Amino acid sequence: MAQKETISGFSKFTPMEKVQWVQDEFGLPSEYAAVLASHLHPDKELQSLYNEFSENTVSAFHLPFGLAPNFKINGKWFVVPMAIEESSVVAAVSNAAKFWAGHGGFNAQVEKPIKTGQVHFQWTGQPDFLKELFRQKRTFLIRSLDPLTASMQNRGGGISDISLVDLTGTLSDYYQLHTEFGTGDAMGANFINTVLEALAVKWQAVVKEAVVDQNRTGELMIVMSILSNFTPGSRVKATVETDVRSFDSFDPKLSGLAFAEKFVRATEIAHHDISRAVTHNKGIFNGIDAVVIATGNDFRAVEACGHAYAARQGSYCSLSRAEISGNVFRFELELPMSVGSVGGLTSLHPLARASLKILQDPGAEELMMIIASTGLASNFSAIRSLITGGIQQGHMKMHLSNILRQLGADEEQRNSAMDYFSNRTVSYADVRKFISDTK
Ligand code: MEV
């Protein structure tokens, strides 16, 4: 069965009608309709709130929401909420947080967050005319946007700069109004896009009028006005450091110094080899995304920005680095990101609000530091496992637990399987055989 023609008015259907339509058109077995329905929130008001976040909502997709305790960041304690489906990440992050809390904790700092957006346009006339006109009208343009920026200015933000960028060397007739913003504790995407669209209209009118008044030729076409998710001016850095002897008990085969040296080597490899760099950074984003999601922020924006930053020198490399100086091991993560602790989903989603409460209502800058510290903790744990016993040890325990759940094992079968597989390789087939043999 397959859809025969385009459907119009799908968005007007009720959730039940939408599912029914999929069932009819694609032969969706009815039990899946029941699965979708059973995952709707029992509180109708809450579900209707979630429905409004997106379109064509027919169910709710649940992610585990966990807590990672023992984070000491700049001397302050935090319990970090994490929304993530991958087993072992919360446990690994919590382990690292506990270890580092006993070794000075995380140190973090933020560069004053600068957000940017661009009005991308085409101008076919004289570049010098455009540049002189922009020079004369720059302040007027900024002031003309005051009605839109006034309340953000009251919160310490607004437009901090606009410049005209001539990119005709890379693409014919292509220019930008590159605009810098402060957005206080908000991520500010809507604010930036609203201001940029208004700026584009003003700029077009200014140019049109000047062309007529000064009897010039040339046409200006606005191509698009949009924020940039690449925010290299909005960087956060998280660092941990300790005497290498702190690692003496990590692995019976490695002294603390040998562990630290192997760890540094692992980060160097991630700096030089793209295959490793991507996986290394994925381990960082295991921590970062989980907090970004739990706090109702935009993880796609944070990911895109982080990966672009990892490739800023022309080749993709590790976002973290480690070094040993004397006896001191130092591990650091630096990346740009744009997150908010007010506005958007952070205020609307009850769990995002709860996360921010658990984090003691941080401002955007403190939230960036918490997120980066969680990313560093996740990265530390992953590398620690990789260079000692390997990651499968920890993963397999959770993997086994998931398989046992899928197979509907009871308490006794679970315990004996955990025992049996504690020193054996876990595979679905072997676990299924073990369970059926013990029935
Ligand atoms: C798995 O989700 C993440 C790791 O692969 C990260 C890494 O290799 O550094 C363990």
Side-chain angles (χ1 to χ4, degrees):
M1 261 198 230
Q3 186 175 344
K4 287 158 217 80
E5 52 191 33
T6 54
I7 175 156
S8 303
F10 185 74
S11 63
K12 308 266 175 347
F13 290 2
T14 64
M16 290 258 290
E17 287 167 345
K18 288 185 177 97
V19 174
Q20 187 62 52
W21 181 84
V22 179
Q23 203 165 317
D24 295 345
E25 291 287 319
F26 293 92
L28 177 78
S30 58
E31 73 246 37
Y32 288 108
V35 168
L36 295 178
S38 71
H39 282 76
L40 287 166
H41 203 288
D43 179 333
K44 289 216 161 50
E45 243 175 73
L46 264 185
Q47 185 57 48
S48 83
L49 171 75
Y50 299 136
N51 291 351
E52 280 162 26
F53 293 159
S54 178
E55 302 78 32
N56 293 344
T57 306
V58 294
S59 188
F61 192 98
H62 296 254
L63 275 184
F65 179 94
L67 296 176
N70 290 321
F71 267 90
K72 197 172 175 190
I73 304 170
N74 296 339
K76 185 169 160 187
W77 290 97
F78 294 93
V79 174
V80 177
M82 300 177 74
I84 184 163
E85 87 297 349
E86 185 173 330
S87 57
S88 306
V89 173
V90 176
V93 160
S94 306
N95 270 340
K98 191 170 178 193
F99 172 80
W100 285 108
H103 296 86
F106 295 83
N107 258 303
Q109 72 236 29
V110 167
E111 301 265 325
K112 183 116 196 76
I114 299 169
K115 318 280 171 69
T116 72
Q118 292 77 25
V119 175
H120 302 269
F121 67 95
Q122 205 168 294
W123 164 247
T124 55
Q126 277 294 317
D128 288 346
F129 164 73
L130 195 75
K131 286 174 191 169
E132 177 54 23
L133 184 64
F134 177 76
R135 204 187 54 74
Q136 287 169 18
K137 297 290 183 181
R138 182 181 165 281
T139 308
F140 162 79
L141 287 169
I142 295 177
R143 289 287 73 85
S144 72
L145 297 165
D146 276 348
L148 291 175
T149 58
S151 87
M152 190 57 93
Q153 285 180 43
N154 291 337
R155 286 182 272 147
I159 296 176
S160 45
D161 196 15
I162 306 185
S163 50
L164 173 69
V165 188
D166 179 345
L167 290 161
T168 52
T170 52
L171 197 59
S172 60
D173 302 334
Y174 170 41
Y175 299 81
Q176 290 177 355
L177 289 184
H178 177 86
T179 310
E180 294 185 356
F181 298 88
T183 58
D185 284 327
M187 185 208 176
N190 278 330
F191 164 72
I192 294 174
N193 289 335
T194 304
V195 170
L196 287 172
E197 287 184 5
L199 171 63
V201 172
K202 286 270 175 231
W203 176 231
Q204 184 150 41
V206 161
V207 174
K208 212 168 178 182
E209 194 183 306
V211 166
V212 173
D213 285 356
Q214 297 177 36
N215 206 14
R216 298 287 186 139
T217 52
E219 273 193 33
L220 183 142
M221 181 182 79
I222 303 291
V223 180
M224 58 192 158
S225 309
I226 184 75
L227 93 171
S228 173
N229 287 124
F230 187 48
T231 54
S234 184
R235 286 194 304 282
V236 55
K237 191 195 279 186
T239 313
V240 286
E241 61 177 41
T242 189
D243 190 298
V244 292
R245 282 166 296 201
S246 311
F247 306 132
D248 276 346
S249 61
F250 274 18
D251 185 323
K253 294 195 279 307
L254 294 172
S255 68
L257 176 61
F259 171 88
E261 284 171 346
K262 204 171 173 190
F263 195 106
V264 169
R265 185 53 18 165
T267 61
E268 286 167 352
I269 290 170
H271 209 74
H272 287 97
D273 175 51
I274 186 167
S275 299
R276 177 57 203 148
V278 171
T279 320
H280 177 101
N281 288 344
K282 189 274 185 184
I284 293 173
F285 281 102
N286 274 348
I288 288 183
D289 286 355
V291 190
V292 171
I293 294 170
T295 55
N297 277 286
D298 182 344
F299 65 94
R300 287 86 55 208
V302 172
E303 284 265 353
C305 181
H307 294 300
Y309 190 71
R312 69 196 178 283
Q313 280 153 351
S315 65
Y316 186 92
C317 44
S318 151
L319 285 165
S320 64
R321 53 172 172 262
E323 62 179 24
I324 301 167
S325 158
N327 272 339
V328 177
F329 167 86
R330 193 180 148 86
F331 186 38
E332 175 183 296
L333 167 67
E334 185 181 39
L335 80 167
M337 69 174 71
S338 178
V339 291
S341 59
V342 297
L345 215 61
T346 62
S347 325
L348 288 175
H349 197 298
L351 277 177
R353 281 207 307 272
S355 295
L356 291 163
K357 269 279 163 263
I358 292 167
L359 291 171
Q360 306 156 66
D361 288 320
E365 293 189 20
E366 192 170 45
L367 181 58
M368 287 166 74
M369 297 190 234
I370 295 166
I371 292 170
S373 300
T374 313
L376 189 66
S378 174
N379 192 205
F380 179 78
S381 271
I383 298 177
R384 175 182 171 174
S385 297
L386 288 168
I387 64 170
T388 55
I391 58 152
Q392 286 313 84
Q393 263 180 11
H395 268 221
M396 276 306 143
K397 222 167 138 202
M398 290 299 268
H399 184 48
L400 174 60
S401 169
N402 288 338
I403 293 175
L404 289 167
R405 194 175 307 282
Q406 279 170 33
L407 293 171
D410 61 26
E411 189 65 23
E412 202 181 317
Q413 288 170 322
R414 284 182 75 80
N415 290 342
S416 52
M418 288 288 188
D419 196 36
Y420 179 81
F421 284 102
S422 64
N423 54 4
R424 289 178 171 81
T425 306
V426 176
S427 77
Y428 188 86
D430 286 350
V431 179
R432 191 174 46 196
K433 180 165 182 330
F434 178 84
I435 294 295
S436 80
D437 288 352
T438 55
K439 271 203 175 126

